[in-house]
Amino acid sequence: MLLRKDIKKVIVKGLSLFFILLYTYAAVNKLQQLSVFESQLEQFPFIGDFAPYIAWAVPATLISVSILFFFNKVKVIAFIGSFTIMLLFTLYILAVLNFAASIPCSCAGIFSSWSWHEQLYFNTGVLLIAAVGIALTYNISSKKEEPVEYSLEIEP
């Protein structure tokens, strides 16, 4: 079933709003508790040495991608950025679950009570949402409206 262009636009707006709210919430939460976030990152396997840089880079990236969602011309880039962010977070969780000697505490905020496996499921779902956003946004922007030609042919 093909979706009409106006329905696709509404879906893309809804997905954009979802990512704006998710990323803004996550970024503000991390910035409000920057020292806690940094100390948590120091405990994480593989990336602990880079904690001071990552503590600033994560919220800055989330805010930057959120801003991109406000501009139709770069919305597909925002969805690609979202897909990339969620892919990196998901791959990191998989690495921690499979290769880390000890598993540090999970995310902060509304997700603080989630297990690493629940976070993995959520990330996978958000990854799929970003993929849908890419497909719909690319489809909307790449299909130009073709003028309809009407001709009247009369057969003898």
Side-chain angles (χ1 to χ4, degrees):
M1 180 174 115
L2 298 174
L3 292 174
R4 291 186 4 215
K5 191 171 183 175
D6 55 337
I7 294 173
K8 289 179 187 177
K9 285 183 178 182
V10 170
I11 293 169
V12 166
K13 285 182 182 183
L15 296 179
S16 298
L17 181 61
F18 168 76
F19 280 108
I20 290 167
L21 293 173
L22 177 68
Y23 290 163
T24 302
Y25 168 78
V28 168
N29 183 276
K30 289 180 185 338
L31 289 171
Q32 284 177 332
Q33 302 174 11
L34 192 61
S35 60
V36 173
F37 179 48
E38 186 176 334
S39 66
Q40 287 176 339
L41 288 172
E42 288 169 352
Q43 299 171 28
F44 279 46
F46 318 120
I47 62 170
D49 294 339
F50 306 102
Y53 307 108
I54 295 171
W56 283 99
V58 168
T61 302
L62 295 174
I63 291 168
S64 298
V65 172
S66 293
I67 291 169
L68 292 177
F69 277 109
F70 287 100
F71 303 99
N72 285 331
K73 290 188 178 194
V74 293
K75 198 168 288 215
V76 72
I77 295 171
F79 279 115
I80 291 169
S82 295
F83 185 87
T84 304
I85 289 168
M86 295 314 298
L87 181 63
L88 291 172
F89 287 165
T90 303
L91 291 174
Y92 181 76
I93 290 172
L94 284 170
V96 168
L97 290 173
N98 291 304
F99 303 113
S102 65
I103 299 176
C105 60
S106 188
C107 294
I110 59 172
F111 308 114
S112 61
S113 62
W114 288 8
S115 72
W116 279 88
H117 287 93
E118 289 170 322
Q119 186 66 44
L120 182 63
Y121 299 141
F122 175 79
N123 284 11
T124 303
V126 175
L127 194 62
L128 293 172
I129 290 170
V132 169
I134 292 168
L136 290 177
T137 305
Y138 181 74
N139 188 275
I140 289 170
S141 64
S142 68
K143 291 205 174 179
K144 304 227 186 298
E145 294 292 324
E146 297 291 326
V148 178
E149 293 184 26
Y150 295 99
S151 63
L152 194 61
E153 293 183 25
I154 302 174
E155 294 188 30

